[in-house]
Amino acid sequence: MLQRGTNEYTCFPTPPQLQGTAPMCMDGPWMEWAKAWMNKQPFQAKSVGISYMLAGDGGASNIDPYADKPTAENQWIVEGPHLMIIVPDPQMLDALPTDPAVGGPYVMWKGTPYAHIMVPVGQRK
């Protein structure tokens, strides 16, 4: 632990496998999400959760939660600063696009237990 905070967020430095700067902060529901994702277990949010990557990220597939590099089929996206939101009812995601190019919020990993809303808050890298 680098520093104990006073709220429910846990923040992580950029993972060693990523290039550049991509720290992430997660609230309690997102920490449960991360545990399920890392262990390839089912997940259902019990409440709304908010995570953020205000320095952007190093890239991820928009459709495959376990892709580790871009391919012609996996819709790789390198996002700038953004928030990520999980919701308890996956049907709440149906009204949002899945295409990151439309501008504004979109759903990443739709149709998986790890689906979440991406909310860009700055320019893409």
Side-chain angles (χ1 to χ4, degrees):
M1 179 184 312
L2 295 175
Q3 179 179 343
R4 182 171 297 282
T6 58
N7 61 30
E8 68 172 298
Y9 277 86
T10 301
C11 297
F12 300 91
T14 303
Q17 70 271 21
L18 293 181
Q19 300 290 323
T21 305
M24 173 188 282
C25 294
M26 300 178 181
D27 67 6
W30 267 95
M31 291 295 290
E32 292 176 18
W33 176 98
K35 181 180 177 185
W37 175 74
M38 287 187 297
N39 292 296
K40 297 184 178 182
Q41 296 174 338
F43 175 77
Q44 176 65 51
K46 296 178 186 95
S47 64
V48 171
I50 299 175
S51 178
Y52 56 91
M53 297 182 78
L54 298 181
D57 63 33
S61 167
N62 191 45
I63 59 173
D64 179 355
Y66 294 107
D68 59 0
K69 62 184 177 219
T71 68
E73 295 83 32
N74 71 7
Q75 296 180 16
W76 197 261
I77 181 76
V78 177
E79 192 59 77
H82 61 279
L83 305 176
M84 295 171 287
I85 303 170
I86 51 175
V87 295
D89 181 359
Q91 290 183 345
M92 295 175 74
L93 305 175
D94 290 345
L96 293 171
T98 57
D99 183 354
V102 299
Y106 61 95
V107 178
M108 178 176 265
W109 300 341
K110 187 167 184 172
T112 77
Y114 318 112
H116 58 280
I117 304 167
M118 296 284 287
V119 183
V121 296
Q123 296 293 328
R124 285 202 175 115
K125 297 177 181 182

